[in-house]
Structure formats: structure tokens, C-alpha cells
Amino acid sequence: MKDLLRTADLTGDDLTLLLRLAADFQDAPESAHDLLTHRIVPMYFAKPSTRTRLSTAAAVARLGGTAVALGPDELQLRRGETIADTARVMGSYAAAIVIRTFADADVADLAAAAPVPVINALTDGHHPLQSVADLLTVQEHFGHLRGHRIAYLGDGGNVARSLMEAAALAGMDVAVATPPGYAPATEAVAFATAEAVRRGGAVTLTDDPFEAVKGASVVYTDVWLSMGDADDERTRRAGELAPYQVNEQVMAHARDQAVFMHCLPAHRGQEVTAEVIDGPQSLAFRQAANRLPAAQAVLHALLTERLEGRR
Ligand code: CP
Ligand code: NVA
């Protein structure tokens, strides 16, 4: 497998390998410090980013290379150069390419033309790097993944989709509670259901947040308005998603030892209350810290061609 474009491109063994590598990098951050010596990793960000941009830059540095962050006005793409030409040229200088943008098709075009690994750093449809850090965080906290239930509440967008796919690949139970019209893509639900069931897990879709969190070890949410959503949808989305806010009442319906997770950035008073995200059950900032070893693991596994992939 050359690229990481979607969590669902991974096999269960690939995910296990990434989680093991990431845990190894937590213990020995500089253990592969010469993998990228004298090499660059361009990182094209067409959307804002705090965690992904910095954790990936830090991961490249720990592997001995140099990350080059590029905004949409800094390449010739805006002036009509094709994605394919950009990919071919970048590939003649770079060890790998990291891209955050809107359309998944653009990332697929880049990967098809690039001779080096391409990593999806978030699109409208997927956030695979986040999902690796998320499962690393759950594994670190509980010691294992199987047998635990993750409840996701709110918008079934990119983060929900990648989380659901990863949790299913790990054999966890996944429950997703969304209002009508906000469920994750049908294809993702079918994938996750098949993968979870194969490993003794299950996927539940509901519109009832309390049903989703019943028996859950992890309660997870994301913003109500994503970077790929039109700003004029803000009010409608806030109204429709309000019943899915993670607050103390919701957390009280989960397991006693349940934790709260959020990919961040968070909006206190909207998708989560301050009491929950800043309280003792919150792993949100541990998750953010874990983006670094997760990015290191993904870069390392792709650059050493250790991921099998399913295509
Ligand atoms: N969670 C996440 O991807 O954060 P950024 O948008 O800050 O990169
Ligand atoms: N769903 C959010 C995730 C941010 C990390 C977005 O796409 O904006």
C-alpha cells in the first residue's frame, strides 16, 4: 500500500501494526531518526490546521527530515497547474506528500500521479491520521480495544467515518447517534458493520444519544460545522445537532469509567460542555498529543512499505 487516503484502506493487521509502531514511538521518539535524513515532506493545507500540521511536522523532524508547509496560494495549482503535474514534480524532490483539502477525488488524483506516498491529512470525507491517534489513545487508556464500545454523537462526517472504520477494524463495538440526514456515508456503515462483525464487534446507528452511550467506554464528538461545510448552514446545523451535545447528563448514561474524546478544535457550549471537555473524564488533550506518534507511525510504515492495504 503506497498511500494512506482512507482508514478503510487499511487491513486489521495494518492498523495493529500502526498502533504498535505509534506506541513504540511514544517510548522512543527518536528511534528512527535517520529515516528521512536530507529529505523533505511537502504538506499542502487548503484548510486551516493546528494539530495535523504541527504534529506531522514534528513527526517528520523526529524521523530526520524537513516538513515544508504550503498554503493554497503558494503553489501553481491556483494558476492552473494540474494536480497530476504537481504530484509528479513534488515526487521528484520529496519522500512523501501530506495533503489537507476539500474533495477526496483531488487527493486520489494526487496519489495516482505521485511516485511517493501520499497521506490524507483530512478531506471532507475522511480523517485517517486522526483515527490512528484516537485508537492509540483508547488503547493507552484501557489497555485494549476489543470489548469496548465507542459512542459517537453528532455530525457523522469525516472524523466520525474514519473513527467508525478504525474501531470496526479493531473489533470494537461502535454506536453512532445522529439526527436524520447526518448519518455517516452508507458505504462506511456497510464497511464498518462487516469488519466489526467479523471480529465479534457490532455497529449500531440510532437517532437516540442516550441509547448510543449506554454501556459505552468512550463518548466521542466533533464540531457541528466542518471546514468543508458552507457557513450559511451554521444555524440550521446547530439547531438540529443540539440534542446531541455531550454534557454531564449524557456522560452519566455511559459506563462509570467512561472517557470523553474529541478530535479538537472544540466549541464549548455547542457539541460539548466545558464541564465535560475540561473535566476528569476528558482525554481530548491526550488525543491531541498522540497525533505526533501516530503521524510518525504512518510515515514510517508507508516509507518502509510495511502496510499491506486492501486494494
Ligand atoms: N483534529 C485536527 O485535525 O485538528 P486540526 O484541524 O487543528 O489539524
Ligand atoms: N470535522 C471537522 C474536523 C476538524 C479536525 C472538520 O472537517 O472541520
Side-chain angles (χ1 to χ4, degrees), residues 85-282:
D85 287 356
T86 305
R88 281 178 65 183
V89 172
M90 279 184 166
S92 56
Y93 316 130
I97 301 168
V98 174
I99 175 167
R100 168 173 288 195
T101 192
F102 296 82
D104 281 283
D106 288 348
V107 179
D109 289 350
L110 186 81
V116 296
V118 170
I119 299 173
N120 178 351
L122 182 148
T123 49
D124 291 349
H126 301 271
H127 200 357
L129 286 174
Q130 180 72 50
S131 68
V132 175
D134 292 343
L135 289 215
L136 177 67
T137 308
V138 177
Q139 184 169 276
E140 177 184 66
H141 186 81
F142 289 110
H144 63 281
L145 297 169
R146 252 178 226 225
H148 286 290
R149 176 176 174 119
I150 289 198
Y152 178 93
L153 270 53
D155 178 28
N158 46 13
V159 168
R161 177 175 188 164
S162 293
L163 177 74
M164 186 174 74
E165 291 170 348
L169 283 171
M172 300 179 74
D173 283 347
V174 189
V176 179
T178 64
Y182 289 81
T186 314
E187 182 200 356
V189 175
F191 171 88
T193 304
E195 293 297 327
V197 167
R198 226 152 63 83
R199 296 174 174 82
V203 173
T204 308
L205 259 67
T206 175
D207 60 5
D208 180 351
F210 292 100
E211 182 193 332
V213 302
K214 195 162 173 240
S217 302
V218 179
V219 180
Y220 197 121
T221 193
D222 181 16
V223 296
W224 287 343
L225 188 81
S226 280
M227 293 179 279
D229 294 325
D231 205 50
D232 61 10
E233 283 188 35
R234 186 179 296 276
T235 307
R236 180 178 61 81
R237 294 176 72 90
E240 291 172 350
L241 288 159
Y244 298 83
Q245 181 191 65
V246 180
N247 50 40
E248 285 176 314
Q249 195 196 353
V250 168
M251 290 303 293
H253 280 74
R255 277 185 50 200
D256 282 350
Q257 305 303 318
V259 294
F260 168 74
M261 293 178 66
H262 192 310
C263 55
L264 302 178
H267 299 86
R268 290 167 178 78
Q270 296 182 37
E271 75 273 7
V272 62
T273 59
E275 289 74 20
V276 171
I277 193 167
D278 299 321
Q281 288 171 290
S282 177

Side-chain angles (χ1 to χ4, degrees), residues 5 201 288:
L5 306 189

